[in-house]
Structure formats: structure tokens, C-alpha cells
Amino acid sequence: MKKILVVLPLNENQKNFLKECASDNEIKFVDYDSMTSDDVKDVNCIIGSVKRKFIKAAANLEWLQISYAGADLFTVPGLLKDETILTNAAGAYNTAVSEHMLAMTFSLVRRFNQYMKNQFNHTWQKMGNIISVKSSTILILGLGQIGCDYAKKVKSLGTYVIGVKRTLSEKPNFVDELYTIDEIDNLLGRADIVAMVLPGGENTKNIIDSERLKKFKRGAYLINVGRGNAINSDALKSALKNNLLGGAALDVTDPEPLPEDDELWNFDNVIITPHSAGQLFLAETLDNIIEIAGNNLKNFLNNKPLKNIVNRKIGY
């Protein structure tokens, strides 16, 4: 008999689905904000969002299924026991985040953020030249599931797509060129738009710094929906001040939340959203998470391999 704890905002149908997946094992549903260390004390499995401070109290934890795609918060050495399996929700956020990226792409190149500011100020003013997404080259840093979904979307619009990932694999047909992350210095200057979907970790921290921003094509656009610290904030502000970039769209910042007095708020060619691309605002996302978790739960209880296992050495 396994004890399963679920920390997700579920409706009755979703709860019943997980109960069916749990079979005759004990399953308990708790609210994220009201959960305590007592809730995790004897559990063998946790599904969903759990505060890291409770992990140590889960002495019997065999498997943690997080509700995020990014797992770096839970790969900190010593947080989980070596034998505890960690799985993520990669694939659940593809639609939500890739559509957010697409909206950012068009908003930047069509200057919608600047026109919105004019609208608030009741100012009838044309904002100048634009570029076409169709005739652009987009460099995608982080060609995981979300990066691939975005690549498919922009490729269907006629974009030339260059993909970058940690290790090479067979090139998908919606990508024109594929490289490893080691090649980015040779690729940045070719891109009209650089879109970042990189996971967290020491390998990606400040991967875009002042030297790499100087390699960008002048007037190029930068999009980041991965981790805020993948871009050096001071270097980004300097590049914007010196008109090295046409603009930036950031769903993630360093730090988060972005302080209200941070200079980034003041650039009229910067779009900022509050790490909202990959939340549960799209109903489909939670359905996807439940499906991933339910299938993994059945496999776990039947001693079968789990999907989305995180390599804790690299963070995903």
C-alpha cells in the first residue's frame, strides 16, 4: 500500500481520474497554501507543486512528480535522497508557452507595445519601420518540447529557423539548421530574433552576457521565456540603451519579481510579463499535467519505467 499526496487545484473529474490511477492505494488531495509538514510525513509519492521546505519531512518519499517543466528548484544537491525519482511535466506547457512566445514575437516586430503606450497617452503617432516574421531568421536557444512547438509555428509562417540544443540529434523538418549550445557565438549575428527557452542551472546562467550581446545583429530582437538569469540584466540594459537591440520580450527576469524601480520597466521597446507563460491559466495545461502524472502513477505502482525522469546532474 502506497501513500500518495496530490498538491494541485483539481476539479472532481480530475481527482477521480487520479483515484482510478491509484487503484487501491491511499491518495490524499491537499491545497498548496494550507499544506503542512504533517501532510508529507508518511507519503511515498508527491504529485504537483510542493514547497521545498516540506521535502525534508517526507522521509519515505520514493517519487516526486512536479507540475513544472523546469526542475532546477528540485535538483539542488541534498534536497532529495539519491534514490528518490524526480519527474517533471515536460510537454504539458507546449501550447501555452509557445503561443506566448508567438504573441511576443509579433508584438515586438510590429511595435504593438509602443502603440499601446501611445493609445494610453491618446497619441496618434506612427512608430516607424518593422520587419516581417516571414522573412526573418529566428535562432531558438533550447530546442526542447516547447522550443520545438514554437519552431513549428514560426516555420509555418515562412521563417528560417536555426535550433540550438545541448546534444545533437536528428534534425526535425521544421528546423533548417541544428547545432549544439557551443556554437552560439557563431550563430547570434545571423538572427533577426533570438528566442530563449533554456532550462535553469549553472550551465545556462548569464549565457547571454555583454560580449554575446555585442555579437547580435544590430536591431535584433530578444525573447526569453526560460530562466531570467540566463541573461545578464545589466548587460541587457546597456545593450538597450545603446540601441544594439530592436527590443526584448521577457517572461522571466533576474530577479523575480522584477522590482518596481528596476530600469527595465522604463524601456518602451521592452515587453515584460510576470512569468505567466507557463502557468495554469490555459485549462489545457492542467489537463496535460494530470495525464502525465496519472500515467506515471500507474507505472510507478506497477514497477514500470516512468516518463520525464529528470537527470539531476544537468537539471532536466
Side-chain angles (χ1 to χ4, degrees):
M1 172 73 72
K2 299 291 186 182
K3 292 187 176 181
I4 305 149
L5 181 70
V6 180
V7 194
L8 286 170
L10 307 182
N11 59 39
E12 287 306 310
N13 287 337
Q14 292 165 333
K15 288 180 180 179
N16 288 334
F17 171 71
L18 288 182
K19 287 177 182 178
E20 291 176 7
C21 295
S23 188
D24 295 327
N25 293 275
E26 182 181 328
I27 186 166
K28 179 181 178 181
F29 300 89
V30 298
D31 181 74
Y32 177 83
D33 292 321
S34 62
M35 72 178 296
T36 68
S37 58
D38 286 339
D39 291 317
V40 303
K41 189 165 54 178
D42 298 320
V43 299
N44 306 107
C45 322
I46 299 176
I47 295 173
S49 306
V50 59
K51 296 174 183 176
R52 290 193 299 176
K53 66 180 181 180
F54 294 133
I55 296 294
K56 290 294 184 182
N60 298 328
L61 187 62
E62 301 173 49
W63 165 48
L64 172 60
Q65 168 69 62
I66 60 173
S67 58
Y68 323 110
D72 48 301
L73 289 176
F74 297 92
T75 59
V76 178
L79 180 66
L80 294 172
K81 293 182 293 185
D82 290 343
E83 59 269 26
T84 302
I85 302 170
L86 175 64
T87 55
N88 65 12
Y93 297 87
N94 293 357
T95 298
V97 180
S98 66
E99 288 187 358
H100 195 99
M101 294 174 71
L102 190 63
M104 284 178 153
T105 302
F106 277 104
S107 294
L108 278 175
V109 303
R110 304 294 303 196
R111 300 179 180 269
F112 284 167
N113 52 315
Q114 295 173 331
Y115 283 114
M116 185 65 70
K117 181 180 179 181
N118 288 348
Q119 179 180 338
F120 289 149
N121 293 327
H122 298 189
T123 301
W124 186 274
Q125 179 182 352
K126 297 176 177 62
M127 299 307 295
N129 294 337
I130 60 174
I131 66 171
S132 166
V133 173
K134 178 181 178 181
S135 58
S136 295
T137 294
I138 297 184
L139 172 63
I140 303 174
L141 304 183
L143 203 67
Q145 294 193 51
I146 292 171
C148 283
D149 214 50
Y150 174 69
K152 291 174 186 176
K153 288 177 169 58
V154 293
K155 184 61 182 174
S156 70
L157 298 169
T159 302
Y160 191 87
V161 178
I162 303 174
V164 166
K165 57 188 304 187
R166 185 174 61 89
T167 56
L168 278 184
S169 59
E170 183 177 351
K171 184 181 72 65
N173 59 11
F174 48 83
V175 172
D176 295 287
E177 299 178 35
L178 182 62
Y179 301 92
T180 64
I181 199 75
D182 300 327
E183 297 292 325
I184 63 172
D185 288 327
N186 300 320
L187 300 171
L188 291 170
R190 297 176 55 193
D192 301 292
I193 300 166
V194 176
M196 301 176 60
V197 207
L198 293 168
E202 288 302 313
N203 291 334
T204 58
K205 185 177 180 180
N206 286 331
I207 195 168
I208 299 299
D209 56 13
S210 59
E211 291 305 308
R212 285 196 165 129
L213 282 165
K214 291 174 185 176
K215 297 178 186 294
F216 275 54
K217 179 186 292 188
R218 193 174 187 90
Y221 297 94
L222 177 60
I223 297 170
N224 189 16
V225 298
R227 287 291 182 267
N229 65 7
I231 301 174
N232 182 284
S233 293
D234 290 335
L236 174 61
K237 293 168 193 174
S238 178
L240 289 164
K241 288 177 185 176
N242 291 299
N243 298 315
L244 298 181
L245 297 177
L250 310 171
D251 185 54
V252 288
T253 60
D254 186 23
E256 286 187 14
L258 189 66
E260 62 182 47
D261 61 349
D262 195 286
E263 196 175 9
L264 270 178
W265 292 110
N266 301 326
F267 292 96
D268 72 350
N269 59 345
V270 173
I271 299 169
I272 297 171
T273 53
H275 207 149
S276 57
Q279 301 298 310
L280 301 180
F281 301 120
L282 180 66
E284 174 188 317
T285 302
L286 183 55
D287 290 337
N288 293 339
I289 293 170
I290 299 305
E291 183 177 0
I292 291 167
N295 290 333
N296 264 349
L297 178 57
K298 287 187 285 188
N299 287 347
F300 175 78
L301 295 173
N302 290 284
N303 295 313
K304 294 182 178 180
L306 305 186
K307 294 185 177 180
N308 289 6
I309 292 179
V310 174
N311 182 334
R312 281 190 256 167
K313 291 183 179 180
I314 61 174
Y316 54 94

